Amino acid sequence: MALLGPIGANVRLLPPLVGFVFFVAGTFLALGGAVAKTVQFMRGSRADVGALVGYGPFLLVLMLLAKALTFPPLNDVTTDLNEIPGFTAASELPQNKGRDMSYPEPFKELMRKHYGDVASKILPGQPSEVMDQAKKLFEERSYIKVTRDDRQANELEAIFESGFFRFKDDVILRFRANRQATVVDVRSKSRDGKGDVGANAARVRDILKALETGKWE
């Protein structure tokens, strides 16, 4: 189960969350087997490789949990807490049916405390020009799918897919004219889980950095 969950999610035979649940459940089953083997060894039975292999997945989960605890419990990150970009295309997707796509009020304080560096970016050029650059950057990556290109609202929406479990997150970019420049705001929201291990904040930083330099790092 610990192997089939991630593999099934990666090849899209299982939904991401199902694959992750399989992985976690498999690690606990492996731990149970490893503990049983260890007890048998302590009672004088011969040891075998199963006792060691079973501890591996559980140690990996412990490492992931330890990492997760270093990040705030939020899964929705935005550069603007006063005028938060609102999803349009993402709200209409069947996968988001019944979900509240508004920004959770408790997340605002967590954002201010932990992600003070995540802020709007002022870039040279008119909104349409910066939007063109953003769309071009998105089209360079196979894991990004543009779902909305609204030139009247100056907003761009996309779906980002994670590398292994194939978790999908919704992203919106807003472009507002500021004299001869453009103010860019980004919001990234996970579809699964209550925490994101810092993934959304890292994504927002990466997008803004790519727009500033003209390339992905």
Side-chain angles (χ1 to χ4, degrees):
M1 288 180 68
L3 291 174
L4 291 178
I7 293 173
N10 187 261
V11 300
R12 297 182 176 86
L13 290 177
L14 295 174
L17 191 57
V18 173
F20 184 74
V21 169
F22 264 66
F23 169 67
V24 174
T27 62
F28 280 94
L29 288 173
L31 175 65
V35 170
K37 291 286 186 180
T38 302
V39 171
Q40 290 176 6
F41 172 71
M42 294 176 66
R43 290 179 176 177
S45 298
R46 292 178 58 186
D48 59 38
V49 70
L52 297 177
V53 173
Y55 285 113
F58 185 70
L59 291 175
L60 178 59
V61 169
L62 285 182
M63 291 171 61
L64 293 174
L65 179 60
K67 180 181 179 181
L69 292 175
T70 64
F71 293 94
L74 79 166
N75 63 359
D76 194 340
V77 171
T78 179
T79 56
D80 189 345
L81 292 172
N82 296 315
E83 296 181 58
I84 299 171
F87 291 105
T88 298
S91 298
E92 298 171 354
L93 293 173
Q95 298 90 331
N96 289 325
K97 184 178 181 180
R99 293 186 64 213
D100 183 1
M101 300 297 287
S102 63
Y103 197 81
E105 193 65 29
F107 284 6
K108 292 183 178 180
E109 186 58 35
L110 291 173
M111 279 288 305
R112 295 186 182 100
K113 182 178 180 180
H114 297 278
Y115 296 136
D117 65 307
V118 176
S120 307
K121 178 77 70 174
I122 299 178
L123 297 173
Q126 294 301 308
S128 60
E129 297 172 330
V130 183
M131 282 184 72
D132 287 339
Q133 183 183 6
K135 190 174 183 181
K136 181 181 178 181
L137 286 167
F138 282 5
E139 290 174 344
E140 291 177 2
R141 293 290 183 261
S142 60
Y143 57 84
I144 305 175
K145 178 182 178 182
V146 175
T147 56
R148 175 173 167 246
D149 182 355
D150 191 333
R151 297 296 166 143
Q152 289 190 335
N154 287 332
E155 292 179 345
L156 190 68
E157 288 187 60
I159 299 171
F160 278 61
E161 187 177 69
S162 68
F164 200 85
F165 280 99
R166 306 292 185 182
F167 283 106
K168 291 181 173 62
D169 299 335
D170 295 301
V171 174
I172 179 171
L173 279 68
R174 182 179 64 199
F175 307 84
R176 293 184 294 184
N178 180 20
R179 297 181 180 178
Q180 300 303 313
T182 296
V183 178
V184 182
D185 284 295
V186 184
R187 180 183 173 191
S188 180
K189 180 181 179 66
S190 299
R191 293 184 185 177
D192 300 295
K194 294 185 177 181
D196 64 1
V197 200
N200 286 295
R203 179 180 296 119
V204 171
R205 295 187 189 103
D206 288 345
I207 291 171
L208 292 175
K209 186 67 174 179
L211 284 173
E212 185 177 33
T213 61
K215 62 181 180 179
W216 297 104
E217 290 190 349

